[in-house]
Amino acid sequence: MANETHMSVSVWRGDAVGSFQPFEVKVEDNQTVLDVVAWIQQYADPTLSYRYACRVGMCGSCAMMVNGTPRWTCRTHVKKVLVDGHMQIAPLRNLPVIKDLATDMDPFFDKWVAAEGVHHPTLTRNDPIEALDPAAEARVESAAGIECINCSVCYAACDTVANNPDFLGPAALQRAWSVYNDSKNADKQAVLDAVSGVGGCHNCHSQGSCAVHCPNALNPMNAIAGLKRETARNFFKRRS
Amino acid sequence: MRRGYRNHTLWVAYLLHRLSGVALALFLPVHFWVLSYALNQPEHLDGFLRWSEMGIVKFAEFGLVFLLAAHLFGGLRLMALEWLPWTSGQKTAAAGAVAASTLIAGVFLMRAI
Amino acid sequence: MQIERHDTDILILGTGGAGMFAALHAQQSAPPGTKITIAVKGLIGKCGCTRMVQGGYNVALGGGDTVERHFMDTINGGKWLPNQDMAWKLCEQAVVRIRELENEIGCFFDRNPDGSLHQKAFAGQTADRTVHKGDLTGIEIINRLMEQVLSRPVEKLQEHRAIGLIPTTDGSALAGVLMIDMRSGKFRFVRAKTVMMGTGGGPTMYKYHTPSGDKTMDGLAMALRLGLPLRDMEMVQFHPTGLLAGDHTKMTGTVLEEGLRGAGGQLLNGAENRFMFDYDPKGERATRDVVSRGIFAEMRKSNTSEHGGVYISMAHLGPENVRAKFPGMVKRCADSGFDLAAGKVEVVPTAHYFMGGVVVDPDTRTAMEGLYVAGEDAGGAHGSNRLGGNGVANSTVYGGVAGDVMGADIRRMGALRDPDETVLEAEIARALRPLSNKVAPIQPLRDKLQDAMWEDVGVMRTQTGLARGLTRIADIHDALLQAGVAGDNLAFNLTWHDWLNMASLCEVSEVIAKAGLARENSRGAHFREDFPDSGAMESSYFTVARQTGGTLDVSREAVQFTIVKPGETILPENEPLSLVEAAE
Amino acid sequence: MTLGLYMAQRISALIMAPLVLLHIGVMIYAIQGGLSAAEILGRTKGSILWFAVYGTFVAAVSVHGAIGLRTVLSEWMGLRGGTLNAAAWAIFALLLVLGMLAVHGVTAR
Ligand SMILES: Cc1cc2nc3c(=O)[nH]c(=O)nc-3n(C[C@H](O)[C@H](O)[C@H](O)COP(=O)(O)OP(=O)(O)OC[C@H]3O[C@@H](n4cnc5c(N)ncnc54)[C@H](O)[C@@H]3O)c2cc1C
Ligand code: HEM
Ligand code: SF4
Ligand code: F3S
Ligand code: FES
């Protein structure tokens, strides 16, 4: 079993139903969790399914539950997660499992679009590029969440997502907040309406797991608070 | 499956707030019922007054007050977090302050018993 | 084998800059009611290399810079091999495309304090031209494009891998594309009136490489089997500083950004001595190809670091400065256990970009009616070398062009075409081949191919090396054809796809080596130790490879200097050679 | 949870906050000062002010508690749609009726 040179790894096999299968993997110097998963598929069990693309934390397709915590596996060093020579790898939570470690991310992106996380242009390709003050308050607020790689780690960490299938989730709402604050965006009200419905930002209980686990140190909780604030302000404005 | 992702203060604050809210929602109707049972029929009043002196009842009532205090501060914390455009540093500080004040309120109440 | 059949009007392969822009523009330009389908090997927007663009996007936006200057830099950078009409369109349309990205797609690009776009200069550029979003430009571009595509009525076939371009029976036009629905393992044949291929090349047959794991030259292999001409196939760009962290991690080969050297980073050999000045007076600041060769030469002398590369050291610039200036890189290195700010990190040249590709015209049309190619799959715009920042400009510009052209062309096209069923069956049989072989691990073959290409068809080439490389590739290809994959469950069967990846890589590797043999001079990314001279610019030729009836022919074709001749310029007289101040 | 419910829950919470503080204050004062239940009742009975205070509290808590439990029921018990709304209304009614009876007891002469 687990010792200095080898680790024991339990890997989820199956889809919604399944079980953990143990593997022995050699410990190497610079090894990420993704390397472990890939090694198992390449050398121990060729039927293992998982997903990755960029291998450097840019594409957000390799996230999995490692010891019960959602992580980007390509940027997670094995040393960081090994407990007594053991680790457990499961598919990302809160998404349907296609097979083994690969999930269906469609619900995540459907919600992204449903939250109006899409630019609504005011200008066209024929207009010159506007001068925009990079230090303007709204621009800074908008830019705060812009580096999201849509890895769905926050989505997996959020218990509200788990408990409420309608909830749009942290990443989609954070994107909506960026769109809302973008001075080039045409339809602010559309964003507020989109995040005020049954699955909207008001479902968030500020659990904060999204901010704690985002691998890029983004803070969707803050963005959602911003949406709550703006919708609340708007609530009175629209009524008066 | 292990649930390592919940190990942080904000999540614990969320859970406490919810549990206190649910507990309040369960106890408050009882509290209301007892009050109205005792106070709306004069013949019950004496019994109620005697009853309310009992330690266990007092304890329960103070439990209610304690839950109320915890939930109140938790709720105020939440609304401050949602509506005041604070930086995350300030928010952590505020959360800490609220936690402390809840504690103080609790201790104070315990003493009062 | 059962296959599902599916019809659409416009089919797009890949969701990089090329694929996404093709979808958006096709939607704008095609007649109402036109069905548009986008199929991709991974998830929409979450695979491919456009997302991995760090440095930025080249576009001349005034301030002294002009389209003419951008064009001249592109031609000079490509050592006079580019197709000049394509290079011109690239530079000219980049101006429109960047406004589209900013205004219509909603991208955030870094600003100067006065609110204008911030632009910097990559190596080989004579103006501050590169628009960027920090050092994560590609994520911004692709995320915004992805939202637009996801929110539109475009049919999405995710985790659908194209494995064959299927012509009509008379071979006069393309009928459709054969794919594997990777999630179920089923074959799906999609007919379309027009198909745009934007699968992004990807030289991942080298031991060290930067592109994402999904890119394995499928597109070029398909085009080759279809008999289409491919140009500049010897031109593989190496990035000098790929992270070197050992063979057992996928982190190895990933890019440590160019800016590190620009900012004063030093390259040290195994004895911890600086060596780049032995090779070039600009030292570490020389161009990518020169630095790559310098490192490679040092490695050949066995002056290497622990894992067999060299070191990049930033510490002398002050760890705090490094941390502040390159936060992303420092964090990335730290994640795999290296201290970039205060220590030294092992690096190695790494295969980065593929200049070669399908021969197309400036409207992205190919020799086959109904097939359009854009982005890294298309050859011509860059010639022998691609400027940093011209890659994403190329894919977004030409993806959009393809969308527009398809939207127009489809108006004159009649009904969907029927495929040549024998070709279809042959392609299916080809893909099913490993399932009836004796099961054998595939990864060791990939390792072997990567070693062979790195050693014999890599940074520096010779005739003997290339010939040896060809034999090695052939042996590996043979072994692959005998290797088997368990086929009991084809759903999300990655090992089957590893096999298919290897098949594409082997096919294209052979072309690279053969084209390398055919070019008996050294230009841009292609360096022949036995022919170190660049050859006369006026008689420049490019290589064209074509497979007919199972044999691969490589010929040479003269470059047409349609806009500017070697030794001349289109810049006005008295224009300074460069607007960029010499590196600090 | 929609914006409307959210606002109702937050506004009711804001209304309750000072009332609850007042109530807790009174209770602590009563205990410290050794007021008996009878003495307290002596002051509240017949007071319009106390009726208003506790009446408002009960109204607010009925709204607030109903929405709160509605959330919990949906998230933890999986209730949805009509059932969920019916449950919330029932809780609202229960709290309101019992609460108002209690207020009546405390403040009616
Ligand atoms: C690390 C890195 C950094 C870079 N930095 C820069 C930079 O700073 N500036 C710059 O200009 N250029 C840069 N480049 C180059 C640039 O990324 C590419 O030139 C350009 O983005 C290619 O775009 P594309 O659309 O042709 O292909 P890609 O963006 O690679 O997209 C290809 C798509 O095709 C899909 N695909 C592949 N095979 C199949 C198949 N068989 N069936 C279906 N779909 C398939 C892929 O999954 C992917 O979606 C960089 C490249 C890398 C790797
Ligand atoms: C005294 C002042 C009070 C304040 C400031 C307050 C505040 C809040 C807030 C802000 C929430 C929303 C929590 C979230 O969305 O995560 C909440 C939820 C809740 N409250 Fe209160 N509340 C108060 C009193 C009460 C009382 C008296 C009850 C008893 C009925 C109660 C029961 C609940 C319940 C059951 C919830 C739902 C818990 C959850 O969603 O997690 N609250 N409260
Ligand atoms: S907010 Fe962070 S965790 Fe969530 S999807 Fe974006 S990058 Fe991932
Ligand atoms: S974890 Fe979930 S509850 Fe809100 S603060 Fe983040 S979205
Ligand atoms: S593989 Fe792209 S983020 Fe991990």
Side-chain angles (χ1 to χ4, degrees):
Chain A
M1 267 322 287
N3 55 35
E4 306 273 283
T5 58
H6 286 76
M7 61 186 126
S8 75
V9 184
S10 314
V11 179
W12 181 259
R13 305 306 302 272
D15 36 53
V17 287
S19 58
F20 285 98
Q21 185 183 346
F23 291 96
E24 279 273 287
V25 183
K26 190 161 177 284
V27 178
E28 306 277 4
D29 261 356
N30 309 307
Q31 200 177 15
T32 63
V33 174
L34 179 63
D35 292 328
V36 170
V37 172
W39 185 90
I40 294 174
Q41 178 253 329
Q42 285 162 357
Y43 294 102
D45 186 341
T47 65
L48 179 65
S49 306
Y50 57 100
R51 184 187 291 121
Y52 82 98
C54 74
R55 71 212 154 95
V56 280
M58 297 182 103
C59 72
S61 39
C62 67
M64 301 169 200
M65 303 300 286
V66 183
N67 291 342
T69 299
R71 292 180 179 279
W72 54 4
T73 55
C74 69
R75 290 275 298 268
T76 301
H77 202 289
V78 161
K79 279 193 199 117
K80 202 163 162 184
V81 291
L82 222 46
V83 182
D84 301 329
H86 177 82
M87 73 170 131
Q88 185 201 59
I89 308 176
L92 205 55
R93 186 170 167 256
N94 292 342
L95 291 167
V97 180
I98 298 176
K99 182 168 173 280
D100 301 340
L101 301 173
T103 55
D104 177 1
M105 295 186 77
D106 281 356
F108 176 84
F109 287 105
D110 290 347
K111 289 176 178 180
W112 187 289
V113 173
E116 285 295 340
V118 180
H119 182 65
H120 314 85
T122 48
L123 301 169
T124 74
R125 66 195 77 163
N126 302 318
D127 298 307
I129 286 176
E130 254 187 325
L132 292 176
D133 178 3
E137 203 183 322
R139 176 82 175 182
V140 171
E141 191 66 39
S142 187
I146 205 95
E147 282 175 9
C148 171
I149 58 169
N150 28 71
C151 62
S152 206
V153 161
C154 54
Y155 191 81
C158 176
D159 278 334
T160 308
V161 172
N163 294 331
N164 180 354
D166 292 329
F167 181 41
L168 295 170
L173 290 169
Q174 173 173 260
R175 176 64 191 137
W177 181 236
S178 284
V179 170
Y180 179 80
N181 282 300
D182 183 352
S183 61
K184 288 180 300 179
N185 185 64
D187 203 349
K188 277 177 179 272
Q189 193 55 46
V191 176
L192 292 188
D193 289 344
V195 301
S196 297
V198 178
C201 63
H202 307 102
N203 292 281
C204 159
H205 302 293
S206 302
Q207 286 170 10
S209 299
C210 51
V212 168
H213 295 290
C214 172
N216 286 316
L218 304 182
N219 195 332
M221 182 175 75
N222 264 358
I224 296 173
L227 288 173
K228 289 174 179 165
R229 196 163 60 237
E230 286 307 304
T231 47
R233 186 174 296 166
N234 205 254
F235 184 77
F236 294 114
K237 242 196 252 157
R238 287 198 113 188
R239 245 142 251 262
S240 57
Chain B
M1 210 193 289
R2 281 185 267 168
R3 300 227 178 270
Y5 59 90
R6 287 173 177 166
N7 293 333
H8 57 94
T9 38
L10 280 170
W11 194 85
V12 176
Y14 145 79
L15 187 69
L16 286 181
H17 187 71
R18 168 157 294 188
L19 293 179
S20 60
V22 172
L24 278 174
L26 294 180
F27 283 129
L28 214 57
V30 178
H31 179 71
F32 287 157
W33 183 78
V34 167
L35 280 176
S36 58
Y37 173 80
L39 303 178
N40 287 333
Q41 278 125 321
E43 63 274 22
H44 292 150
L45 184 62
D46 276 352
F48 169 72
L49 288 178
R50 238 177 295 120
W51 193 64
S52 69
E53 296 299 315
M54 278 165 64
I56 176 83
V57 176
K58 260 193 161 172
F59 184 77
E61 292 291 303
F62 280 116
L64 199 63
V65 173
F66 174 69
L67 281 178
L68 207 51
H71 187 82
L72 166 79
F73 285 117
L76 291 177
R77 170 199 72 99
L78 198 66
M79 287 187 281
L81 206 111
E82 286 177 349
W83 290 341
L84 305 180
W86 291 352
T87 64
S88 17
Q90 280 169 310
K91 277 181 193 174
T92 320
V98 167
S101 64
T102 318
L103 210 72
I104 294 169
V107 171
F108 182 62
L109 285 169
M110 286 312 188
R111 262 225 345 252
I113 300 184
Chain C
M1 194 68 201
Q2 249 207 320
I3 75 168
E4 287 171 22
R5 296 192 185 233
H6 191 81
D7 287 342
T8 186
D9 294 317
I10 297 181
L11 173 64
I12 292 155
L13 304 179
T15 61
M20 300 268 221
F21 261 106
L24 293 177
H25 277 228
Q27 222 224 346
Q28 291 156 4
S29 64
T34 304
K35 184 173 172 195
I36 301 170
T37 302
I38 192 160
V40 57
K41 201 172 174 182
L43 300 181
I44 289 179
K46 292 176 80 67
C47 49
C49 291
T50 307
R51 197 176 176 99
M52 298 173 75
V53 165
Q54 301 179 329
Y57 191 114
N58 281 354
V59 53
L61 290 175
D65 195 13
T66 56
V67 172
E68 284 78 7
R69 183 176 283 282
H70 185 183
F71 171 78
M72 285 311 297
D73 286 352
T74 303
I75 299 298
N76 280 318
K79 300 290 180 298
W80 294 89
L81 292 196
N83 172 315
Q84 298 195 348
D85 297 323
M86 287 179 71
W88 176 259
K89 194 161 185 171
L90 160 62
C91 302
E92 188 192 37
Q93 289 300 309
V95 180
V96 182
R97 203 64 86 237
I98 205 78
R99 290 199 302 250
E100 189 176 353
L101 281 166
E102 162 91 16
N103 292 346
E104 294 181 26
I105 311 295
C107 287
F108 271 45
F109 295 118
D110 284 3
R111 293 305 220 259
N112 294 310
D114 72 358
S116 58
L117 285 181
H118 182 257
Q119 290 178 285
K120 56 184 184 181
F122 262 125
Q125 290 180 180
T126 63
D128 289 332
R129 181 180 295 141
T130 310
V131 172
H132 62 110
K133 165 78 190 73
D135 56 3
L136 299 172
T137 312
I139 297 178
E140 177 62 10
I141 290 176
I142 284 293
N143 274 351
R144 302 294 79 87
L145 285 169
M146 173 195 84
E147 295 161 3
Q148 295 293 330
V149 170
L150 287 178
S151 64
R152 276 160 215 262
V154 171
E155 184 184 41
K156 288 121 194 157
L157 298 177
Q158 300 196 85
E159 285 171 338
H160 272 62
R161 172 192 193 135
I163 56 168
L165 302 171
I166 313 297
T168 53
T169 315
D170 63 2
S172 64
L174 194 71
V177 180
L178 176 65
M179 307 183 195
I180 297 173
D181 174 346
M182 299 166 74
R183 295 182 183 177
S184 68
K186 292 207 178 90
F187 290 95
R188 180 161 288 136
F189 175 67
V190 182
R191 287 197 304 171
K193 293 175 188 163
T194 69
V195 173
M196 193 217 73
M197 186 168 85
T199 63
T204 54
M205 67 283 275
Y206 288 87
K207 181 168 183 184
Y208 308 110
H209 60 256
T210 67
S212 59
D214 48 299
K215 295 223 300 186
T216 54
M217 293 281 185
D218 292 345
L220 296 189
M222 290 190 295
L224 189 72
R225 291 200 298 276
L226 193 62
L228 289 175
L230 309 178
R231 62 170 286 175
D232 298 323
M233 292 296 285
E234 69 278 23
M235 299 299 180
V236 182
Q237 183 174 68
F238 284 83
H239 194 291
T241 53
L243 179 68
L244 179 57
D247 291 345
H248 41 260
T249 177
K250 290 186 187 294
M251 274 281 189
T252 287
T254 57
V255 175
L256 292 188
E257 75 179 59
E258 198 103 51
L260 296 175
R261 284 182 295 123
Q266 298 180 346
L267 293 171
L268 310 176
N269 60 22
E272 307 208 359
N273 295 322
R274 276 179 95 175
F275 58 86
M276 266 317 295
F277 285 98
D278 301 351
Y279 300 97
D280 194 282
K282 292 208 200 83
E284 283 89 353
R285 288 198 173 110
T287 51
R288 283 181 185 174
D289 50 332
V290 173
V291 179
S292 295
R293 287 198 288 276
I295 298 175
F296 190 76
E298 211 65 13
M299 289 167 64
R300 252 199 327 216
K301 290 190 225 155
S302 292
N303 281 342
T304 61
S305 61
E306 187 191 337
H307 286 105
V310 300
Y311 296 108
I312 188 163
S313 167
M314 306 296 294
H316 59 282
L317 301 171
E320 281 319 308
N321 291 339
V322 178
R323 253 176 233 123
K325 195 153 180 209
F326 302 102
M329 284 292 125
V330 171
K331 182 159 182 278
R332 191 191 284 181
C333 288
D335 283 349
S336 41
F338 302 109
D339 186 355
L340 178 65
K344 31 190 210 323
V345 175
E346 285 184 68
V347 294
V348 70
T350 176
H352 186 49
Y353 185 89
F354 197 61
M355 275 75 73
V358 179
V359 174
V360 292
D361 70 9
D363 284 336
T364 73
R365 293 191 187 96
T366 65
M368 166 107 9
E369 162 92 350
L371 179 66
Y372 305 72
V373 177
E376 204 172 322
D377 273 346
H382 310 298
S384 71
N385 218 346
R386 170 189 68 98
L387 295 183
N390 266 5
V392 59
N394 177 62
S395 62
T396 51
V397 163
Y398 280 107
V401 169
D404 292 337
V405 172
M406 287 191 294
D409 284 2
I410 202 163
R411 292 166 199 265
R412 64 167 170 77
M413 290 182 181
L416 287 161
R417 309 171 195 102
D418 283 324
D420 184 333
E421 294 289 337
T422 53
V423 178
L424 192 57
E425 265 163 43
E427 285 290 351
I428 293 174
R430 191 185 146 277
L432 288 174
R433 179 174 179 135
L435 306 185
S436 45
N437 288 344
K438 191 165 157 286
V439 174
I442 306 301
Q443 187 61 27
L445 292 173
R446 176 89 178 247
D447 293 341
K448 272 192 188 166
L449 178 68
Q450 292 184 340
D451 284 340
M453 292 300 285
W454 170 249
E455 286 156 16
D456 288 332
V457 196
V459 179
M460 292 204 238
R461 303 162 174 182
T462 60
Q463 210 234 312
T464 27
L466 290 166
R468 183 173 53 233
L470 274 171
T471 339
R472 290 169 80 180
I473 296 165
D475 289 348
I476 295 161
H477 202 168
D478 284 346
L480 182 77
L481 295 177
Q482 304 309 318
V485 172
D488 356 323
N489 182 3
L490 293 181
F492 229 113
N493 187 328
L494 293 186
T495 309
W496 183 28
H497 290 284
D498 285 348
W499 190 96
L500 290 162
N501 288 342
M502 265 299 282
S504 298
L505 289 173
C506 285
E507 287 170 29
V508 177
S509 293
E510 186 192 341
V511 187
I512 296 176
K514 286 225 168 116
L517 274 173
R519 174 169 292 284
E520 297 189 323
N521 61 28
S522 295
R523 284 277 177 109
H526 174 74
F527 188 81
R528 285 281 297 261
E529 289 176 85
D530 41 1
F531 296 98
D533 201 65
S534 64
M537 292 299 145
E538 302 73 42
S539 54
S540 294
Y541 59 86
F542 61 94
T543 64
V544 178
R546 187 199 291 261
Q547 199 176 56
T548 32
T551 54
L552 182 67
D553 293 311
V554 182
S555 57
R556 298 172 178 179
E557 263 179 51
V559 176
Q560 304 296 314
F561 303 113
T562 50
I563 297 177
V564 60
K565 291 193 173 50
E568 296 175 3
T569 177
I570 57 167
L571 290 181
E573 260 178 81
N574 307 327
E575 269 283 301
L577 228 45
S578 175
L579 304 172
V580 185
E581 293 174 25
E584 343 75 272
Chain D
M1 167 87 76
T2 54
L3 175 59
L5 286 175
Y6 171 88
M7 290 310 293
Q9 195 186 31
R10 297 304 189 264
I11 290 169
S12 58
L14 284 177
I15 293 172
M16 278 190 294
L19 302 181
V20 163
L21 282 173
L22 180 71
H23 181 69
I24 295 179
V26 168
M27 287 303 136
I28 291 173
Y29 169 76
I31 290 150
Q32 302 286 35
L35 284 184
S36 70
E39 284 168 311
I40 298 173
L41 286 175
R43 300 188 186 186
T44 56
K45 287 225 173 248
S47 157
I48 294 189
L49 187 73
W50 284 113
F51 175 80
V53 165
Y54 284 118
T56 311
F57 175 80
V58 165
V61 86
S62 308
V63 170
H64 182 90
I67 298 174
L69 283 186
R70 182 185 181 279
T71 308
V72 177
L73 284 175
S74 122
E75 289 186 5
W76 282 1
M77 317 290 278
L79 294 196
R80 289 273 175 290
T83 332
L84 181 61
N85 286 329
W89 281 112
I91 294 164
F92 170 75
L94 182 80
L95 278 168
L96 193 68
V97 169
L98 286 177
M100 280 309 178
L101 285 174
V103 172
H104 179 263
V106 173
T107 58
R109 196 181 291 278

